[in-house]
Every structure is written in structure tokens, then in C-alpha cells.
Amino acid sequence: MDAPQGPRTGSWLLPLLKLRIWVAEFAHHNETQTTLFWAGIIGFLGGASSVVFRQLTDGLLWLFTHRHGGHVEAFTQLPSWQRLLIPTVGGFLAGSTILLGARLNRKKSSTDYMEAIVLGQGEIPARSSFVKIISAAFSISSGGSIGREGPLVQLSAVLSSLVGRRLKFSTTQLRLLVACGAAGGIASAYNAPIGGALFVAEIILGTLAMESFGPLVFASVVATLTVRQFLGSDPLYEIAMPVVRLTSNWEIIPHLLLGVVSGLAAPWFLRGLRASERLFAATHLPPPARLALGGLIVGALAVWYPQVCGNGYSVINQLLHAENLLWPTVLAVLVFKLLATAATFGSGAVGGVFTPTLFAGASLGYLYGVVVRIVWPGSPPVAEVFILVGMGAFLAGTTHAPIMAIIMLFEMTLDYNIILPLMLACVVAHYTANAIEPASIYSESLKRKGAAFMRQQLTGLRVADLMKKNPVTVPEISPFNQIAESFLTNRFNYLYVVGDGRKFKGAISLHDVKNYLNEPELASIVIARDIVRDEFPTVSLDESLSDALGVFSRHDGERLPVTTNFEDRTLVGSISKTDVLLALSEQSKPLSSTHEAAVQGEAVEVHGEA
């Protein structure tokens, strides 16, 4: 068959194609770079949305209290009747928002970003998510014993899901993009970029494979830089004293025992949340009444101790700055705060449990330090170290993520001197708590038996499950100018060549056309059949991902053509190396204790974090 007599190669095509080849050779562009680029965009959106949400909650706090500053400062200045009323009204508004959102959006779909990453397709419904975020703003601003990190992560994750769906990312890449959003949300909440990346990698993904961990780090760093640009770069918690050091190696012993104490206490914290949820569920009240009841309980406790309002951040700083707080007061505030947290979460309020967990650990560490300083012979250890170590150990015991707890506490304090006791206490707390209660605070977010079901699905994945249909192709009789235009309008470095019935004939490399750029006369008569690589590697629909990865190891491209089988060779799609690597990393990761507990059905649902 003769080649069609198309137009001569345009004078503008060859210079543009030369530039395209130069960019490809200079930049070595691949899908990993594209993923990192969009991870950075997601990090910026996560950081910017964090700043906006903080401004929103600060504005609502002023509307509720007509006071500036933190929750404890504002509620301390209020009369008793306002301390009682404001959380109740805030709970009612939060519940009404959820009820109104449910009536406007009849479609039942999960807004859980953890489920979207681990079990779902990476799709998070935007309307339902924003309803929950507004509800969280009412609960947080009215003094609910709840953290704002929950809605911050949800907001960042839903924005990343919207971006990925708009760009038509593959399922594996969309899930990774949502994970980057979650990492950026955590990093922006705590000024902790490493901790944000490790939170998602250790708790949600369960893997530190660079295919996923690299983008998480990139998103976390950009999110942190964005927040620091607006809110400053000071550490979240600072100690008002000289450098903290262990004066003796023997001082490591009480920190080890603090890990045991935290590990013993953490499961009861989780069980208290479960019990509160069961009690509130038994009331069968509608959301407005149920959340108003939770707010009423918080308000009643705030009449005696306004320190129960908010996430506990200001009280932790009081402890760290050695302000005049007697241990009976700290003990009473701790008990009341635990009751307030249980009431807030049990009622169904949307928000985070991360910062209240840090508060419980700080108070426990303070009280433990009081006892140690009484019984310790000689010069007593520094009390503030026990507060910081208690925060990390209690966090490790509730999340079952000791590495994340260690790094996050270090980033929130920027004090390297606490690392040795912190590492030991976190690991001991993790093992102690895990022996008592395998479920972590995030287990229900992965749904009962859901993690095991997802593992079964991943194990059975084939090439057909990950391929993209209708790849860019050119007929084997295509003239050079059509080949050039296809390379200019697509970012791929290989162009697939097909014959009759879409039979795969091979591929043309972007670098294969270099020889014709300086010879326009020759280029005008060349067709695809003349420069195609006949022996181009392919994979078939039914091949396993491991087999596909083996083919990628012998091929320098980012994509491979997918054919029906090796005999028929009808081109049906293409598969990305990035998608294969991400899917295989999900297959190979061991089930963490979080996932195992979800399989066993031993889980606690924490609203907003889930």
C-alpha cells in the first residue's frame, strides 16, 4: 500500500520538534516528576486552606465569646452561664449543619479520607466533606474539647481529590494524591513536615516505599512553608528553661517506666471513647440534640474548669512554662478534660483527637514527674522532660505509630535533647498498649474487614486492572509531519504504531526522529513504518503486575503498550510504571496492627479523624 501524499513537513514543525527533543534530553521528564509537581501544588493548597480555616474558627470564637485569644483565655473571662450556654449552642449549630447537609445530599458516600486512600478509589465527595468541615468549625469555635487537625486534614484531602479527578489521574495516583493532601494537612496543623509525611506513611499507607513517601514529604514541606509564611516558624511547644539534658544515664529508667505507664493508660482512653459513643447512640437523639447535649456537658465542666474548652494547647504550654499549677489542679483538669473529650466525640462532633491526646499525655507526664521527683534520690530529673516524653509516649500508645510520635514530638519542640528518653518511652508505650488493645485510635477508619478485603484485591491485580485505554497511536502509513505533531501534542517519549485492526507494530522513540530534523527533504517522504522499532516490549492483559515490573526493568520508558495477548497483539491500552510500583508496594506491605484490628472488628470510630 502506498503512503498517502500528505502535505510537506511544515517549516514550523521541525524547530518545535527540536525544542521538544532538547527539553526531553535535558529535563529527563517522567511521571515521578509530574507526581512531585502536583504533590507540591496539593501541599500549597493544604497550607493555604489551613490558614483560612484557622481564621474562620478564630472569627467564630470571637462571635461566640466577644474575646480574642485562645479558648481557655476567652472562657476564663466569661460568667458561668455563658460557659454553659456557648458550647451547647455551638453543638446545636454543628448538629443542625450535619442534619441539613444530610437532607440536601441524599446520596450515601463516605467522606473518610483514610478509607479513600486505603480501600477506595481516592474519590472524596466534596459537598458532604464541606458540610462536615463547617460543622467542625462550630464545634471547635464554641469550646468543644476537640482538635482542629481533623477538619484541616479533611479539607486538604478533599481538595487534592478534586484536583486529581479534574486531571483524570489513575486510581493509584489519585489515592497517592489524596494521601499527599492528608500529609500536608497534618504538617500544616503542627508545623511538622516530617511528622505529617510519617503520619500518613506509617498509619494509613503502612509503607515507607519512596514511590509514595517522596511525594508525601514534598507535599508536607510545601504545606509547612506556606503556613510559616503566614503564621511564623516558631515551634508549636517551647520550654521556658535552659537546655534540657539527662544529668545521668540512670535517669533513663523513669522515662522507660513512663512508657509503661502511658502504654497502660492509652487503651483505657480509647475504651472511654467507645463507651461514650455507645451511651450517646443509645439516646437515639437527632444530631442537633445529641451534639447540643455533648456541648452542655462540656459547658457544665467548664463552669468549674474552663481549661477543658478547646484542644488543650494552652494548658500544655502552661505546664511547659512551669507556671504555678499545683498537681491537684492538674489532676482535676485532666479528669474533667477526659470527660469533656469523651462527651464531645461521643456526641458525634466532627473534629480531631490528636491534640486532646497530646494534652492527656502531657498531664500524665506532669503527674508522673511529680511522683518521680519525690522518690528519686539526689538531684531530681527535669520535670518538663516528663511532660514532653509523656506526650510522645501517650501518642504512640493510642496511634500504634511510635516512629511518627517520636519525629512529631521532636519537630513540635525542636529540642534534640529529649530524643533518647522520647525514643525509649514511645517504643515501650507502643508495645505495652498493643499487648492490651490491638486497635489503634484510627482503626475504624479502615472499616471492619476492609483492610483484609483490599489486600485480597491487590494480590489478584493484573495488568488489565491498571491499564489506561486508548493510548496515543499513529497508523503505520502516517507521514513524518503527523508523527511530529503527535509528539508535540503529547508528553510521552514513545509513540505507538498500529496497523489494520489496531494490531501493534512497534513504537517510535522521540529520539529516533532526531536523524531527520536536519534533512527536511528526507523527512517529507518518511512514514511511520520506516522508523518504527519492531522489537518493542509489550505486556498482555492477563499478566501479573510482577511480570509487568520485570518487563519495565528491561525498558527505559515510563509506559508499556498492553496487547490482548502475545499472539494476537491487538493494542488495547498502556500501563504506567508508577502505577505498577504503587500497587506492588501496597501488596507487599505487612498488615499493621491498625489493619489487623480493623479485620477483627475491634475498632473505635473517632468522628472527624475518620
Side-chain angles (χ1 to χ4, degrees):
M1 183 182 294
D2 295 330
Q5 299 298 316
R8 291 179 59 84
T9 304
S11 59
W12 57 274
L13 277 177
L14 295 184
L16 285 178
L17 193 55
K18 287 180 181 180
L19 177 62
R20 167 80 165 82
I21 294 173
W22 179 85
V23 170
E25 292 179 340
F26 177 78
H28 300 289
H29 178 272
N30 54 45
E31 291 196 12
T32 300
Q33 295 169 348
T34 302
T35 302
L36 288 176
F37 171 80
W38 287 109
I41 298 296
I42 291 305
F44 171 76
L45 292 177
S49 62
S50 172
V51 174
V52 172
F53 186 81
R54 290 167 194 251
Q55 296 300 317
L56 171 63
T57 53
D58 288 345
L60 288 175
L61 175 62
W62 184 87
L63 287 176
F64 278 122
T65 65
H66 293 286
R67 303 287 192 281
H68 292 287
H71 288 84
V72 175
E73 293 81 0
F75 274 78
T76 301
Q77 301 173 37
L78 296 177
S80 297
W81 69 271
Q82 284 186 306
R83 296 184 194 178
L84 184 67
L85 179 64
I86 290 175
T88 307
V89 172
F92 177 80
L93 293 175
S96 299
T97 302
I98 292 176
L99 184 61
L100 179 62
R103 290 179 176 175
L104 294 178
N105 185 20
R106 299 286 183 179
K107 184 178 179 181
K108 298 294 182 181
S109 54
S110 174
T111 59
D112 185 355
Y113 69 91
M114 291 188 182
E115 182 182 342
I117 295 169
V118 179
L119 307 176
Q121 306 298 314
E123 299 181 359
I124 303 176
R127 185 180 300 177
S128 300
S129 294
F130 286 120
V131 166
K132 285 194 171 184
I133 290 167
I134 295 172
S135 174
F138 284 125
S139 295
I140 293 168
S141 304
S142 60
S145 182
I146 198 171
R148 61 187 171 195
E149 67 279 357
L152 289 183
V153 176
Q154 185 71 34
L155 183 56
S156 182
V158 72
L159 290 176
S160 63
S161 180
L162 289 173
V163 170
R165 287 151 62 187
R166 179 80 175 182
L167 297 172
K168 297 181 179 179
F169 274 38
S170 67
T171 297
T172 51
Q173 290 176 319
L174 180 57
R175 289 165 60 197
L176 177 58
L177 202 65
V178 174
C180 289
I186 285 290
S188 65
Y190 293 102
N191 200 7
I194 307 176
L198 280 174
F199 174 89
V200 176
E202 191 175 9
I203 293 178
I204 304 176
L205 296 180
T207 177
L208 291 177
M210 282 308 298
E211 290 79 20
S212 57
F213 189 62
L216 295 180
V217 170
F218 202 79
S220 295
V221 169
V222 174
T224 303
L225 291 175
T226 303
V227 171
R228 288 180 178 181
Q229 180 66 32
F230 291 98
L231 304 179
S233 58
D234 293 333
L236 197 63
Y237 300 108
E238 294 182 284
I239 304 177
M241 61 172 298
V243 177
V244 176
R245 296 184 185 277
L246 296 179
T247 57
S248 167
N249 288 341
W250 291 104
E251 288 186 16
I252 203 70
I253 296 177
H255 292 97
L256 184 150
L257 295 177
L258 176 56
V260 175
V261 172
S262 299
L264 292 172
W268 292 102
F269 176 71
L270 303 183
R271 291 170 180 176
L273 294 179
R274 287 199 202 106
S276 177
E277 287 180 328
R278 289 193 296 268
L279 288 173
F280 274 93
T283 64
H284 301 292
L285 293 172
R290 190 174 68 248
L291 270 75
L293 177 59
L296 179 64
I297 295 173
V298 173
L301 296 171
V303 170
W304 298 97
Y305 289 100
Q307 292 92 334
V308 304
C309 295
N311 57 15
Y313 168 78
S314 59
V315 180
I316 295 176
N317 272 323
Q318 279 185 293
L319 296 174
L320 290 174
H321 286 73
E323 296 185 12
N324 295 325
L325 288 175
L326 301 177
W327 73 263
T329 302
V330 175
L331 178 60
V333 171
L334 173 60
V335 173
F336 277 48
K337 182 68 174 178
L338 293 177
L339 293 174
T341 302
T344 304
F345 279 100
S347 67
V350 180
V353 74
F354 208 92
T355 312
T357 301
L358 293 176
F359 171 86
S363 301
L364 183 65
Y366 174 87
L367 296 171
Y368 176 84
V370 170
V371 176
V372 171
R373 290 171 67 86
I374 294 174
V375 302
W376 189 258
S379 178
V382 178
E384 285 76 5
V385 179
F386 290 116
I387 298 172
L388 297 175
V389 172
M391 292 166 66
F394 200 77
L395 185 62
T398 55
T399 62
H400 294 331
I403 299 176
M404 180 275 298
I406 293 167
I407 296 299
M408 184 159 282
L409 256 294
F410 169 67
E411 285 192 292
M412 287 192 292
T413 60
L414 295 182
D415 188 349
Y416 180 77
N417 294 282
I418 68 169
I419 283 294
L420 291 180
L422 179 64
M423 291 175 66
L424 185 63
C426 285
V427 170
V428 171
H430 162 69
Y431 283 118
T432 305
N434 192 58
I436 301 172
E437 178 61 79
S440 80
I441 205 166
Y442 299 104
S443 293
E444 185 67 13
S445 300
L446 301 179
K447 302 296 181 183
R448 298 183 178 185
K449 299 185 180 179
F453 176 70
M454 188 62 183
R455 281 291 301 276
Q456 293 171 1
Q457 284 189 320
L458 287 171
T459 303
L461 280 180
R462 317 297 286 181
V463 167
D465 299 312
L466 291 183
M467 77 168 188
K468 283 188 174 180
K469 298 179 180 180
N470 302 319
V472 179
T473 62
V474 293
E476 61 179 337
I477 59 172
S478 299
F480 188 83
N481 63 339
Q482 184 177 343
I483 297 170
E485 289 175 1
S486 295
F487 273 124
L488 289 174
T489 54
N490 296 279
R491 59 184 177 85
F492 304 126
N493 291 333
Y494 288 96
L495 196 60
Y496 301 148
V497 179
V498 295
D500 295 335
R502 289 186 65 84
K503 300 296 183 182
F504 182 72
K505 298 297 183 179
I508 299 173
S509 168
L510 178 63
H511 303 289
D512 290 341
V513 303
K514 289 176 62 176
N515 298 329
Y516 303 94
L517 296 182
N518 296 322
E519 300 181 50
E521 296 79 9
L522 183 59
S524 64
I525 61 174
V526 166
I527 62 174
R529 184 190 299 149
D530 299 325
I531 55 178
V532 67
R533 295 187 183 184
D534 299 323
E535 301 298 325
F536 195 82
T538 64
V539 292
S540 65
L541 283 170
D542 294 330
E543 281 192 86
S544 68
L545 298 187
S546 298
D547 291 337
L549 188 61
V551 180
F552 270 118
S553 68
R554 302 185 295 272
H555 176 58
D556 61 354
E558 287 291 319
R559 288 184 170 272
L560 283 173
V562 180
T563 60
T564 49
N565 54 61
F566 292 115
E567 291 76 24
D568 183 55
R569 291 179 66 81
T570 299
L571 184 68
V572 291
S574 66
I575 190 168
S576 161
K577 182 192 295 186
T578 301
D579 286 349
V580 172
L581 289 171
L582 288 173
L584 286 175
S585 68
E586 288 283 331
Q587 278 189 28
S588 60
K589 72 186 181 185
L591 280 176
S592 67
S593 56
T594 298
H595 297 166
E596 290 171 347
V599 172
Q600 298 166 6
E602 300 171 352
V604 52
E605 181 177 2
V606 181
H607 301 272
E609 292 290 355

